[in-house]
Amino acid sequence: MVNLSLYTVRAMVILDGEGNRLVAKYYSRGPHAQNYKSVKEQKKFESELFSKTRKSSGEVILYDGHTVLFKYVNDVYFYLVGDPEENELLLSAVLSGLVEATSLLLKHSVDKRNLLDNLDMIVLALDEAVDDGIALETDPNVIASNVSKRGADTIDVSLSSLNEQVLIDVYKQAKERFNRSLLK
């Protein structure tokens, strides 16, 4: 029987060129229980996965009962782990969208150093692409745009908009006082 579920992704992992973890998100929801609950189990899985894929020329493998898709960009490995019966085209679209969005966010300079310097944006991009194991977005432009909007909303409170708001409030108060003085 085919298992129809929204929970398509088991994990998303980004490793450097030596197999060290840069970012990892494991998801435990859905019909299948997560295999890698402790950090020790996760790191063991990641190191075995890295040694299996570092010399591979393909992009999809079946490993440890999971479908694993991966992409290598400069000195960074991107991995997406799904169920063995999951649609590889869907998983590939999610991974490609994430890798391209990362490239857009890092101004086409994807490497370990740049990724670590902008880790906050990369984690937001992961969350935009996949939420708790559910693939949400595959379009890299949308992912990058949503991440950029969040950064602009939370970080930049410009002085000009603050000054405009203060002027509007002062104008309203002056108008109210003027109206009261006319009524007296």
Side-chain angles (χ1 to χ4, degrees), residues 3-57:
N3 180 20
L4 298 176
S5 173
L6 291 175
Y7 299 99
T8 56
V9 179
R10 295 283 147 235
M12 296 183 77
V13 180
I14 302 175
L15 303 177
D16 66 7
E18 299 165 358
N20 299 316
R21 177 191 287 192
L22 300 176
V23 179
K25 294 194 96 172
Y26 287 83
Y27 307 104
S28 60
R29 291 228 169 149
H32 301 293
Q34 175 187 331
N35 295 341
Y36 313 105
K37 294 185 180 173
S38 72
V39 174
K40 184 178 178 181
E41 290 174 335
Q42 292 173 2
K43 291 213 176 210
K44 181 180 181 228
F45 172 72
E46 292 165 13
S47 68
E48 291 172 356
L49 187 60
F50 176 75
S51 50
K52 176 101 172 159
T53 59
R54 73 175 172 196
K55 294 182 182 176
S56 178
S57 62

Side-chain angles (χ1 to χ4, degrees), residues 11-13 15 49-50 53 68-70 77-81 95:
M12 296 183 77
V13 180
L15 303 177
L49 187 60
F50 176 75
T53 59
V68 179
L69 284 84
F70 61 97
Y77 286 86
F78 293 84
Y79 293 94
L80 188 137
V81 181
L95 182 63

Side-chain angles (χ1 to χ4, degrees), residues 137-148:
E137 188 60 63
T138 59
D139 185 354
N141 294 318
V142 172
I143 295 170
S145 172
N146 289 345
V147 169
S148 298

Side-chain angles (χ1 to χ4, degrees), residues 40-146:
K40 184 178 178 181
E41 290 174 335
Q42 292 173 2
K43 291 213 176 210
K44 181 180 181 228
F45 172 72
E46 292 165 13
S47 68
E48 291 172 356
L49 187 60
F50 176 75
S51 50
K52 176 101 172 159
T53 59
R54 73 175 172 196
K55 294 182 182 176
S56 178
S57 62
E59 292 184 350
V60 180
I61 62 169
L62 284 173
Y63 180 72
D64 198 25
H66 294 91
T67 301
V68 179
L69 284 84
F70 61 97
K71 285 192 185 253
Y72 180 69
V73 180
N74 294 333
D75 61 345
V76 179
Y77 286 86
F78 293 84
Y79 293 94
L80 188 137
V81 181
D83 290 328
E85 60 274 342
E86 195 56 60
N87 184 342
E88 291 91 0
L89 293 176
L90 171 68
L91 296 177
S92 177
V94 173
L95 182 63
S96 294
L98 175 67
V99 171
E100 288 298 316
T102 301
S103 179
L104 289 171
L105 290 168
L106 299 179
K107 297 176 178 51
H108 303 288
S109 176
V110 179
D111 60 12
K112 177 183 175 180
R113 180 80 178 150
N114 205 7
L115 195 134
L116 288 174
D117 288 343
N118 297 289
L119 196 58
D120 56 340
M121 289 194 312
I122 303 308
V123 171
L124 284 173
L126 285 170
D127 290 340
E128 285 293 327
V130 177
D131 183 30
D132 207 18
I134 300 172
L136 294 178
E137 188 60 63
T138 59
D139 185 354
N141 294 318
V142 172
I143 295 170
S145 172
N146 289 345

Side-chain angles (χ1 to χ4, degrees), residues 150-181:
R150 278 191 188 176
D153 289 346
T154 58
I155 295 171
D156 184 30
V157 177
S158 67
L159 189 58
S160 63
S161 67
L162 187 62
N163 287 340
E164 288 175 9
Q165 188 62 39
V166 170
L167 287 175
I168 290 171
D169 289 341
V170 168
Y171 173 74
K172 286 181 182 178
Q173 288 176 359
K175 185 178 174 183
E176 288 174 5
R177 286 183 184 171
F178 180 73
N179 288 338
R180 277 192 228 141
S181 69

